[in-house]
Amino acid sequence: MPSWTDTLRFAFQPVVNLTTGGVAALEILARPETGDVLAQARRDPELDGNLAALAVSAAARKETLLPLHVNVFAATLADLGGLAALRNTVHEAGRLPWEVTVDIGPPYTHVPHRALLEAVAVLRGQGFRICADGVGDGDVPLRLLSDMAPDLMKLDASLLTRPAAVRGMRTLCEQLGALLSVEGVETERQCAAMRAAGAQLAQGDLFAPPSRRPAADVYVPALPSSAVATPRTGPSVRQFLRPAALLPATASAGQVRALLTGSPDVSGVLLVDPAGVPIRSVHRSRFLLSMSGRYGHALYADRPATKLGDPPRTVGVEATAWEVLDVVADGERDRTSDDVAVVDHCGRCVGVVRLADLVRALAENRVEEAAGLNPLTRLPGSDAITGEVDRRIADGRMFALSWLDVDQFKQVNDGAGFAAGDELIRAVGRALQGAASGSTRVGHIGGDDFLVLADPEGLDPLAASVLDAPWSAGGRTVTLSLATVLCAPGSVTDHRQAAACLAPLKQAAKALTGASWVLGRAGLPGHEIRRGSVVAPA
């Protein structure tokens, strides 16, 4: 009688890094030719665990070096307390546990949470990575999601049309130290929307459909330079992660050579200890040059590969792209092309970053920033400020958005001349920039109009430094008007609504005499006059 495994096949779908355009991993999907073994697995934890082990065996037969994702139901983990069959198969296949991510999927109803969390801790202790799968359409409680602290969250395809929810999940991922992935992407428009909402990884037929053979070549729409968000501290290194080629520190030079010659896209190999901590870094070109020299193979083939490696360059997962560049710049000049290993809080390697990816993305971003600067003040335009407003809204942060301009600026220009007017605008821009501190952002949106985004506690010193200063143009005394709207979490949904709240406050400030400042709160009527005098009726 044929076994159910005789009619079971597996398909592979790439998990794509939306920044580098490379394949970050392969998800292995069970595809039964007859029957519904997945429905049986939902009711039978032992069968579900065996399916995960068979998935790894299928990947081993295809000789793929890419990291793997295997699926299990939450109830399976809670019932088994771990995945012994998976652990044994990973060892037999010559793979390392930290190259395998366990995608834990719903349903979670009636699953004992304590048992599930204990099982997750066992898997994590063995080195496996944890992914919360099907988030957004399943029944996983947010509290449990937070307690699991997964390395990755995969959002269900139903959230592709809900970018606000994706932005919210990105915020949660940042707090938990997780990456964010979306599933089911089929169109370039969906891909662009998910990038803008903060997704870092994605799967779907747009990139490559599930196939019988692992695919490393995928289609990824061109990444707009503006999609790589660059706050003052720089983009996160997580955006540039590539899979690392890992071998045990005990590997011989011959094993490293076999891996490199069989995988032309691999730029280097990291030798790791049993805990997954990088010990030595083997650069492709330097290693093969040593092996190809006279007597090189005879001398080194059976010797430990560590003899031909260098100390690894590492950064933590919380590092920025600029910090990676500092690591490269501080090292030996002949190692500038080496991959930099990215390690988690335990020191285990989670991937590598390539210098070329960082330089290209940061250069494109600088070009984009330069194109958006106002030529008069060299301050960013409205797009930079409104984009940051949307990020703070998504993060649930309270903020103050202010509009500042020069009173009667047309008369100033007409009376003192445009050169004096331009110099006044430049001086106001310099003063705002000088008064800005911490997370305050200043933008020049044209003419005499400026936008200022700040934390509420930074408002008073900024307003005093600008409004109390004596201003003049061509010998004419000039005053400034400032309007501010305080936006508490949940009071506005995007930058457009914040700007709509600010518009009447600007009119109120302009109706006052002298240097003026009006402050209001989004969603609440009225405003407070902080500076300026009400014009008395004639």
Side-chain angles (χ1 to χ4, degrees):
M1 183 176 180
S3 166
W4 60 268
T5 58
D6 295 335
T7 59
L8 183 65
R9 300 292 180 268
F10 290 93
F12 302 84
Q13 186 171 47
V15 180
V16 176
N17 184 312
L18 292 178
T19 298
T20 66
V23 178
L26 293 173
E27 181 174 357
I28 315 172
L29 305 165
R31 291 288 187 265
E33 294 183 359
T34 60
D36 191 352
V37 70
L38 296 180
Q40 298 176 45
R42 180 177 295 187
R43 299 186 297 269
D44 185 344
E46 186 174 351
L47 172 60
D48 193 30
N50 287 334
L51 279 176
L54 285 171
V56 172
S57 295
R61 289 194 296 272
K62 300 298 183 181
E63 297 183 344
T64 177
L65 293 174
L66 287 165
L68 307 174
H69 284 247
V70 297
N71 296 278
V72 298
F73 292 108
T76 296
L77 281 184
D79 188 81
L80 297 181
L83 297 171
L86 174 64
R87 183 183 67 248
N88 294 337
T89 303
V90 168
H91 177 73
E92 292 167 2
R95 299 301 296 260
L96 302 171
W98 43 91
E99 296 179 284
V100 179
T101 298
V102 179
D103 290 6
I104 305 172
Y108 287 84
T109 302
H110 307 306
V111 173
H113 291 178
R114 175 173 292 183
L116 175 60
L117 293 174
E118 289 174 353
V120 167
V122 169
L123 287 177
R124 186 171 275 131
Q126 294 169 350
F128 291 99
R129 305 202 181 281
I130 303 299
C131 167
D133 198 2
V135 175
D137 192 50
D139 56 350
V140 54
L142 282 177
R143 179 175 59 81
L144 177 61
L145 198 59
S146 179
D147 291 342
M148 284 173 59
D151 303 286
L152 172 68
M153 286 191 204
K154 283 188 181 179
L155 302 186
D156 183 79
S158 62
L159 295 186
L160 290 174
T161 58
R162 296 168 174 83
V166 178
R167 285 195 294 270
M169 294 308 299
R170 171 63 187 269
T171 300
L172 177 59
C173 283
E174 289 176 349
Q175 295 295 318
L176 297 177
L179 292 174
L180 182 65
S181 181
V182 289
E183 298 181 295
V185 178
E186 297 181 348
T187 68
E188 294 194 13
R189 177 171 294 185
Q190 289 175 338
C191 180
M194 292 301 96
R195 274 173 166 160
Q200 297 146 309
L201 304 170
Q203 294 172 249
D205 288 354
L206 173 66
F207 314 108
S211 62
R212 295 299 187 191
R213 294 189 61 81
D217 295 325
V218 295
Y219 168 73
V220 182
L223 174 65
S225 57
S226 57
V228 181
T230 309
R232 292 180 181 182
T233 55
S236 169
V237 73
R238 293 172 182 271
Q239 294 179 239
F240 306 96
L241 274 180
R242 288 180 177 267
L246 304 176
L247 283 176
T250 54
S252 68
Q255 290 174 294
V256 172
R257 183 176 184 275
L259 189 157
L260 291 175
T261 55
S263 307
D265 294 334
V266 173
S267 55
V269 177
L270 287 173
L271 304 176
V272 296
D273 70 10
V277 177
I279 301 298
R280 303 291 281 182
S281 173
V282 178
H283 183 267
R284 180 187 188 88
S285 298
R286 294 196 299 274
F287 175 84
L288 292 179
L289 185 63
S290 298
M291 290 290 287
S292 62
R294 190 177 186 184
Y295 309 123
H297 188 272
L299 285 173
Y300 297 116
D302 296 324
R303 297 184 65 187
T306 53
K307 300 291 185 181
L308 295 175
D310 299 292
R313 291 175 168 177
T314 61
V315 296
V317 291
E318 304 302 329
T320 66
W322 295 110
E323 290 173 299
V324 178
L325 293 184
D326 288 341
V327 169
V328 174
D330 291 342
E332 301 168 34
R333 295 182 62 181
D334 62 348
R335 295 189 61 194
T336 54
S337 63
D338 288 20
D339 294 341
V340 177
V342 181
V343 298
D344 62 16
H345 65 282
C346 295
R348 297 178 303 197
C349 180
V350 298
V352 296
V353 290
R354 294 181 180 175
L355 180 63
D357 290 335
L358 301 184
V359 172
R360 180 171 57 251
L362 294 175
E364 289 174 348
N365 192 264
R366 284 293 179 257
V367 171
E368 182 77 11
E369 284 184 350
L373 296 180
N374 187 287
L376 184 62
T377 59
R378 307 303 295 167
L379 289 172
S382 60
D383 286 348
I385 303 301
T386 55
E388 180 63 22
V389 167
D390 286 337
R391 280 189 286 274
R392 297 194 187 191
I393 292 172
D395 291 346
R397 294 173 56 185
M398 186 168 185
F399 62 89
L401 182 63
S402 299
W403 187 309
L404 180 138
D405 68 356
V406 179
D407 296 328
Q408 307 296 327
F409 183 67
K410 185 177 186 305
Q411 296 179 18
V412 172
N413 251 355
D414 291 344
F418 71 87
D422 285 352
E423 181 52 41
L424 174 63
I425 295 302
R426 281 191 287 266
V428 172
R430 289 193 297 270
L432 284 171
Q433 217 31 356
S437 61
S439 60
T440 300
R441 302 289 300 276
V442 178
H444 183 192
I445 61 176
D448 64 322
D449 293 318
F450 295 86
L451 277 178
V452 181
L453 177 62
D455 293 329
E457 56 269 22
L459 283 175
D460 286 323
L462 185 143
S465 64
V466 177
L467 297 180
D468 292 347
W471 296 103
S472 63
R476 301 166 62 98
T477 299
V478 173
T479 58
L480 308 180
S481 292
L482 179 66
T484 299
V485 59
L486 291 177
C487 298
S491 62
V492 291
T493 57
D494 59 19
H495 70 270
R496 297 176 185 85
Q497 191 173 0
C501 295
L502 188 57
L505 299 175
K506 179 188 175 185
Q507 294 179 0
K510 300 299 287 185
L512 302 174
T513 60
S516 61
W517 180 19
V518 165
L519 184 144
R521 288 169 172 78
L524 298 178
H527 59 264
E528 174 187 352
I529 298 176
R530 292 283 186 96
R531 274 183 173 76
S533 303
V534 178
V535 179

